[in-house]
Amino acid sequence: MKALPAGLLAIIGGAAALAAPAQTARVFPVADRPVLEDRFPLVPVAFPGGVKAYRDVVYQTVPGYRPQIVDIYVPPSPGPHPLVLYIHGGGWMAGQTRQSGALADFPKVLAALAAEGFTVASLEYRLSGEARFPAQLQDANAALRFLRAHAREYAIDPTRVGLWGGSAGGHLAALTAVTCRDTALDPAAGNDGCVQAAVTWYGVYDFAGMTATPDGNAAGAKLLGCEGTCPADRIRAVSPVTYIDAKDPPFLLIHGTDDHTVPVAQSHLGEAALRKVGVPVESIYIPGVDHSFIGRTPAATRAATLQAVNATFDFFHAKLGVPRR
């Protein structure tokens, strides 16, 4: 084999040198221990009225579970503003932060409440397929702790807090409101702040009042991990009526009279228990309306839904001290 000319060798050598990647020293911030926090930038989304919303804010990471998140809607003025935490429904086994009943664009609803002077958060919690009760209550408490701890960042007044939820979320909103500092259900709750107002839409108050299974369709049984009939102690532990006393905050209960998923009797039971101990309670029972405020016609659904939304907004204005605009 002939040797290559010296000139050609020089050309090949030069090309190889050009092709070799440069050895660049890459420098990044390094902590002195593993960093588990989510560092992806939180870029706010703009809504009408100057509201800024932060999506998927991690409020808690429990080993073995996905990170729990909230969406947070912040008014344009510096505040501090009362906080309203919304808890979604879905039979404790489904649902998410950005839907509620027949409302076609629920984030716009939450942003509208923020535009009226409230910091609003919408909660995701561990579902029954992920964790049994009382994990869901513990998640709601953890979210409130996170939001109070970040009050300056999200313009929150931690002394004025309201809860709002529908269906399973109505149950969890009521339970969170009436179990403040109950360490039997949440060992971390001993130093928690209590809430000042609660709104439930077609919520469950007494699981013993449901038929067959705790909520009539096995969703409650799955929440409690029951096979067949749930034991009485579990029924008592998950029922808001077990804990209602005179120290509880004012409530607004809204329910359709023709609800086939959560009977309207559930709100009657809750209302009676609250009144019995002297808790201020308001109630609205909408005739001819099923679960999620679904009426017999689209017009009836729209009227019932808007009635509930407007009453909820007005209640928070009255109880959390925000003048109506």
Side-chain angles (χ1 to χ4, degrees):
M1 180 177 179
K2 290 184 178 181
L4 294 174
L8 182 56
L9 284 171
I11 293 172
I12 293 172
L18 290 173
Q23 297 299 310
T24 302
R26 297 172 179 83
V27 179
F28 302 99
V30 177
D32 59 358
R33 59 178 58 87
V35 177
L36 304 180
E37 294 84 2
D38 184 350
R39 298 302 191 197
F40 198 87
L42 283 175
V43 180
V45 177
F47 279 89
V51 171
K52 292 181 178 180
Y54 299 85
R55 295 178 290 192
D56 300 338
V57 179
V58 176
Y59 69 86
Q60 173 181 248
T61 302
V62 178
Y65 297 95
R66 61 193 168 91
Q68 271 75 61
I69 59 172
V70 284
D71 292 341
I72 305 173
Y73 302 76
V74 182
S77 58
H81 307 283
L83 169 68
V84 174
L85 177 67
Y86 178 80
I87 307 178
H88 71 77
W92 307 278
M93 63 175 68
Q96 41 94 349
T97 60
R98 298 167 195 156
Q99 53 84 213
S100 179
L103 287 160
D105 190 339
F106 192 53
K108 283 189 176 180
V109 176
L110 298 178
L113 181 58
E116 294 188 16
F118 302 84
T119 294
V120 181
S122 188
L123 173 72
E124 285 200 3
Y125 51 89
R126 284 172 287 177
L127 302 175
S128 60
E130 300 172 288
R132 301 290 184 241
F133 177 82
Q136 298 71 25
L137 170 68
Q138 293 169 1
D139 291 350
N141 285 336
L144 290 173
R145 283 181 215 118
F146 171 87
L147 292 162
R148 286 187 172 107
H150 292 79
R152 184 181 297 274
E153 186 175 351
Y154 297 111
I156 293 169
D157 179 352
T159 68
R160 293 185 291 164
V161 178
L163 294 169
W164 169 22
S167 195
H171 160 257
L172 292 173
L175 192 64
T176 304
V178 301
T179 60
C180 180
R181 304 192 183 103
D182 187 327
T183 55
L185 293 176
D186 183 355
N191 295 316
D192 281 353
C194 299
V195 303
Q196 285 67 54
V199 177
T200 66
W201 290 2
Y202 35 86
V204 178
Y205 281 85
D206 186 356
F207 275 54
M210 307 302 278
T211 59
T213 54
D215 71 339
N217 63 10
K222 186 172 183 180
L223 174 69
L224 298 175
C226 303
E227 295 290 338
T229 302
C230 288
D233 60 337
R234 293 195 203 178
I235 295 293
R236 286 192 300 271
V238 76
S239 297
V241 292
T242 301
Y243 309 95
I244 288 173
D245 63 32
K247 299 187 297 295
D248 294 332
F251 269 73
L252 170 63
L253 287 65
I254 311 179
H255 215 128
T257 62
D258 288 3
D259 196 319
H260 292 90
T261 302
V262 177
V264 68
Q266 284 293 318
S267 285
H268 289 309
L269 286 167
E271 180 183 4
L274 291 161
R275 289 194 188 283
K276 184 176 180 179
V277 296
V279 174
V281 56
E282 302 173 28
S283 58
I284 300 172
Y285 299 107
I286 306 176
V289 170
D290 201 343
H291 202 62
S292 299
F293 302 132
I294 303 300
R296 294 184 178 89
T297 66
T301 299
R302 182 177 187 276
T305 300
L306 293 180
Q307 179 184 357
V309 171
N310 280 286
T312 298
F313 280 31
D314 290 345
F315 182 81
F316 285 133
H317 275 284
K319 302 305 178 185
L320 298 181
V322 178
R324 294 176 179 83
R325 297 178 181 179

